[in-house]
Amino acid sequence: MSTIRDVAKQASVSVATVSRVINQSGYVHIKTKERVEKVIKQLNYQPNDVARSLYKGRSKMVALLVPDIMNPFFPQLARAVEDVASKYGYTFVLCNTDDEKEKELAYLNALRQKSVDGMIIVSSKLSQEDVSDITTPMIALDRKISIDIDLVTVNNQDGAQQAVRFLMQKGCQRIGHICGPENASSSKARLKGYLDVVKNEPWFSSGYIRSGKYGFEAAFEATKKMLTEHPDIDGLFAANDLMAVGALKAAEQLGYRVPDDLSIIGFDGIGIGKATKPAITTMAQPIYEIGATAAEMLITRIQDTTIPITEKELRVKLIERGSTRVS
Amino acid sequence: MSTIRDVAKQASVSVATVSRVINQSGYVHIKTKERVEKVIKQLNYQPNDVARSLYKGRSKMVALLVPDIMNPFFPQLARAVEDVASKYGYTFVLCNTDDEKEKELAYLNALRQKSVDGMIIVSSKLSQEDVSDITTPMIALDRKISIDIDLVTVNNQDGAQQAVRFLMQKGCQRIGHICGPENASSSKARLKGYLDVVKNEPWFSSGYIRSGKYGFEAAFEATKKMLTEHPDIDGLFAANDLMAVGALKAAEQLGYRVPDDLSIIGFDGIGIGKATKPAITTMAQPIYEIGATAAEMLITRIQDTTIPITEKELRVKLIERGSTRVS
DNA sequence: CGTCTATATGTAACGGGTTACAGGGAGTGA
DNA sequence: TCACTCCCTGTAACCCGTTACATATAGACG
């Protein structure tokens, strides 16, 4: 690998001039510029980003921290963030935290040491104190972390209400909820939305709520238990699609016919919901848009850290498929 | 952010001593060490990785380049690579190339400029010349790039043979193949395996092969066309599970009953194959193991670039589910 | 007591860009 | 001709750890 000094020597100029050519800054005589460019091509010179980062204190990298890369929601999100990042010349780093606070903190540290310019974080575990000493621009996504941090979400509570009302409208009499992790704000909001609608129903009790931890397996087990305890359930609102699929499989195993015996509605709008039979009715999030919005916000903040904290809420949209009754 | 010089000043020692304490190298008096450590804690000093990388020429980062992060195969793989990487103290970078040569080359360059220590690449587009001038350790995964580069694959051709024979054994008379992209070596091997078994069948013609480009949508369309042209097909071997799901949906739409009218077998063993109804029979790859193996190989090579080029082949395993006939 | 070695610590160069600052030439207007 | 402004280019400090090399002290051994 040749360095800027090699180029300078070969072109009989100083490193400053080469730097000016590369960065198109300051004055460089057109003749000189051409000569330098020729040498750069000759030597196949590529500036060393690490050296650049060291001086600038910035690395042209952004990171996305997600709790579960195996949930198709996050690859879709990652895709969006990466697209925007590379549009602005940033390298994208994806980190999987398993929703474990320890891993999150470890990443936060590692990334800061690498002078990462910004991060987008989906975390249920981090709180204000954990991030208060971090000056790197951050965006919280899906789940709130602190009031000091920009946030991108969807109308979770409202969407959940819509989902549950939709089930009722389709004739469901007893509606259970497979909720997400207790401390995720998105999960809490969806639970709240569910409660808003059902808490005054005569049949309602806490047994109609079980946690599936936003995961397939846990939801599968939770659904089996819930349906066994409450065989009268004829509607199920899962806080995400992955759990809705788990619920579907559980219902199937118990001999329920979906949607005739049991209507299931999910949340997220991931692709897998179309693959099942019946396909999953869902409150779809504009996943790509969420990721892209967060990424744009992050880059805006990187460029100007003084702008006021903002919260942006996108809207979910009902997609009716086969897992809910027709009438 | 405090620097090593701040620590040195505060602890009344030189930066060299602080460095020795941090890296546990050379001689440091126990008393001095304690003093320095105390100051480090006081100032919450974290060494700057960028400066370290610059001097060392290494960054403690490894990258994984995948063609399609939305295919669940790759998140699973990424998961494995990340686990191994972080076990050895490496930061993991995920890059999505859309299977486009241009993006691949752009990443290769960007990563080199960042002094990334090693890369694992899943690419059908890169050839020997494209990577010949790259000295960064690399591992090719799933698809061969060059004889100069370590390779991790599975017994694709053999697995494909097994898959097709399995369909025959279940009584299929006419077996079609939805293949992957033309230039991916894994795709070519699976096609070859298919041909090994069927090419001498009296019914066989090239119309029994169509490309689904390893993607859901393309496979959906390809299957519809193929089944329309050859309604006699009663068995389908898709070169990956994502395409198998696409094929299943297409068959459904055309009124085929799976597996009664049509048996479908996939390849990969991704989770989504369990979510469909019927669930997809597949030649499962040990995905996590593949990723972990590649990552281990990469780190071995980073530590010693002189070791001879190796190719490692893992084995696929048939998982019988509902998409293939019982007898 | 002189020499040698193990221990302990500091100085400064180094890695490779970036940029503040200085210096010099050319052109313009007074 | 002087003053001033563009141009153009170079020198050297800087970003922040790492480490080769130099220096120094203490204890061991002959």
Side-chain angles (χ1 to χ4, degrees), chain A residues 46-47 49-50 54 59 70 76 79 82 91-93 96 98 107 109 113-114 249 252 275-277, chain B residues 46-47 49-50 54 59 70 76 79 82 91-93 96 98 107 109 113-114 249 252 275-277:
Chain A
Q46 311 267 104
D49 255 351
V50 179
L54 176 59
S59 65
M70 313 273 276
Q76 266 190 71
R79 184 57 210 276
E82 192 195 17
T91 301
F92 170 72
V93 178
N96 190 68
D98 282 328
Y107 268 121
N109 240 313
Q113 286 181 54
K114 294 212 175 297
K249 291 288 146 187
E252 234 169 50
T276 56
K277 192 160 128 192
Chain B
Q46 309 267 104
D49 254 352
V50 179
L54 176 60
S59 65
M70 313 272 276
Q76 267 190 69
R79 184 56 210 275
E82 192 196 16
T91 300
F92 170 71
V93 178
N96 189 68
D98 282 328
Y107 268 121
N109 239 312
Q113 286 180 56
K114 294 213 176 295
K249 291 289 146 186
E252 235 169 49
T276 58
K277 194 160 128 191

Side-chain angles (χ1 to χ4, degrees), chain B residues 12 17 29 47 99 102 112 128 143 205 281 318:
Chain B
S12 314
T17 301
H29 192 95
D99 208 23
E102 208 172 310
R112 185 170 45 167
Q128 185 122 21
R143 311 164 198 198
S205 79
T281 296
L318 179 72

Side-chain angles (χ1 to χ4, degrees), chain A residues 1 44 46-55 59-61 68-70 72 74-79 82-83 86 91-98 103 107 109-115 133 135 216-217 245 248-249 252 271-272 274-279, chain B residues 1 44 46-54 59-61 68-70 72 74-79 82-83 86 90-98 103 107 109-115 133 135 216-217 245 248-249 252 271-272 274-279:
Chain A
M1 289 284 290
N44 188 28
Q46 311 267 104
N48 180 325
D49 255 351
V50 179
R52 216 173 240 180
S53 295
L54 176 59
Y55 186 85
S59 65
K60 277 271 168 186
M61 291 197 294
D68 178 16
I69 196 180
M70 313 273 276
F74 294 110
Q76 266 190 71
L77 200 68
R79 184 57 210 276
E82 192 195 17
D83 282 354
S86 66
T91 301
F92 170 72
V93 178
L94 182 73
C95 309
N96 190 68
T97 63
D98 282 328
K103 285 197 189 177
Y107 268 121
N109 240 313
L111 294 171
R112 183 168 49 166
Q113 286 181 54
K114 294 212 175 297
S115 299
D133 62 332
T135 55
F216 177 92
E217 286 299 337
V245 176
L248 175 66
K249 291 288 146 187
E252 234 169 50
I272 193 176
K274 283 188 286 191
T276 56
K277 192 160 128 192
Chain B
M1 290 283 290
N44 188 27
Q46 309 267 104
N48 180 326
D49 254 352
V50 179
R52 215 173 242 181
S53 294
L54 176 60
S59 65
K60 277 273 168 183
M61 291 197 293
D68 178 16
I69 196 180
M70 313 272 276
F74 294 111
Q76 267 190 69
L77 200 67
R79 184 56 210 275
E82 192 196 16
D83 282 354
S86 66
Y90 285 80
T91 300
F92 170 71
V93 178
L94 183 72
C95 308
N96 189 68
T97 64
D98 282 328
K103 285 199 189 176
Y107 268 121
N109 239 312
L111 294 171
R112 185 170 45 167
Q113 286 180 56
K114 294 213 176 295
S115 299
D133 63 332
T135 53
F216 177 91
E217 286 299 338
V245 176
L248 175 67
K249 291 289 146 186
E252 235 169 49
I272 194 177
K274 283 188 285 191
T276 58
K277 194 160 128 191

Side-chain angles (χ1 to χ4, degrees), chain A residues 194-208:
Chain A
Y194 163 78
L195 287 172
D196 289 342
V197 180
V198 305
K199 64 167 178 264
N200 291 322
E201 294 289 326
W203 52 263
F204 176 72
S205 78
S206 67
Y208 285 80

Side-chain angles (χ1 to χ4, degrees), chain B residues 74-322:
Chain B
F74 294 111
Q76 267 190 69
L77 200 67
R79 184 56 210 275
V81 174
E82 192 196 16
D83 282 354
V84 174
S86 66
K87 190 175 85 182
Y88 289 97
Y90 285 80
T91 300
F92 170 71
V93 178
L94 183 72
C95 308
N96 189 68
T97 64
D98 282 328
D99 208 23
E100 285 173 24
K101 187 164 178 171
E102 208 172 310
K103 285 199 189 176
E104 289 173 341
L105 291 173
Y107 268 121
L108 249 43
N109 239 312
L111 294 171
R112 185 170 45 167
Q113 286 180 56
K114 294 213 176 295
S115 299
V116 162
D117 296 353
M119 327 187 208
I120 297 175
I121 304 183
V122 184
S123 164
S124 349
K125 297 294 192 299
L126 294 177
S127 59
Q128 185 122 21
E129 308 89 69
D130 300 316
V131 296
S132 59
D133 63 332
I134 294 180
T135 53
T136 310
M138 283 177 33
I139 310 280
L141 198 152
D142 191 58
R143 311 164 198 198
K144 188 161 189 156
I145 294 177
S146 148
I147 49 160
D148 302 332
I149 295 176
D150 296 305
L151 176 66
V152 177
T153 43
V154 294
N155 50 336
N156 283 301
Q157 188 169 349
D158 174 54
Q161 286 181 16
Q162 283 180 49
V164 179
R165 290 216 184 88
F166 176 77
L167 290 178
M168 285 180 152
Q169 192 186 310
K170 293 293 173 186
C172 296
Q173 308 276 334
R174 300 271 192 288
I175 299 173
H177 179 45
I178 306 292
C179 68
E182 290 70 21
N183 33 19
S185 68
S186 64
S187 166
K188 282 192 279 191
R190 290 170 204 176
L191 172 59
K192 213 179 282 177
Y194 164 75
L195 287 171
D196 289 342
V197 180
V198 304
K199 65 168 178 265
N200 291 321
E201 294 288 327
W203 52 263
F204 177 71
S205 79
S206 67
Y208 284 81
I209 302 171
R210 272 191 179 269
S211 175
K213 297 175 183 168
Y214 274 165
F216 177 91
E217 286 299 338
F220 183 81
E221 296 303 330
T223 304
K224 280 210 292 193
K225 284 211 181 97
M226 194 193 290
L227 289 179
T228 310
E229 281 174 24
H230 297 276
D232 57 346
I233 286 177
D234 59 355
L236 210 47
F237 166 45
N240 76 6
D241 284 348
L242 206 57
M243 299 198 297
V245 176
L248 175 67
K249 291 289 146 186
E252 235 169 49
Q253 200 181 79
L254 294 179
Y256 282 75
R257 285 169 307 159
V258 177
D260 304 309
D261 304 335
L262 178 72
S263 286
I264 298 177
I265 188 168
F267 205 107
D268 276 0
I270 59 179
I272 194 177
K274 283 188 285 191
T276 58
K277 194 160 128 191
I280 305 284
T281 296
T282 190
M283 293 301 308
Q285 302 194 49
I287 307 180
Y288 191 93
E289 202 188 336
I290 292 172
T293 303
E296 293 276 359
M297 272 172 71
L298 180 63
I299 284 163
T300 307
R301 177 159 296 285
I302 288 171
Q303 284 161 356
D304 178 4
T305 54
T306 65
I307 51 175
I309 302 295
T310 56
E311 301 199 357
K312 188 147 189 174
E313 190 178 89
L314 302 175
R315 302 197 66 76
V316 297
K317 199 179 108 194
L318 179 72
I319 297 182
E320 189 172 354
R321 300 205 187 95

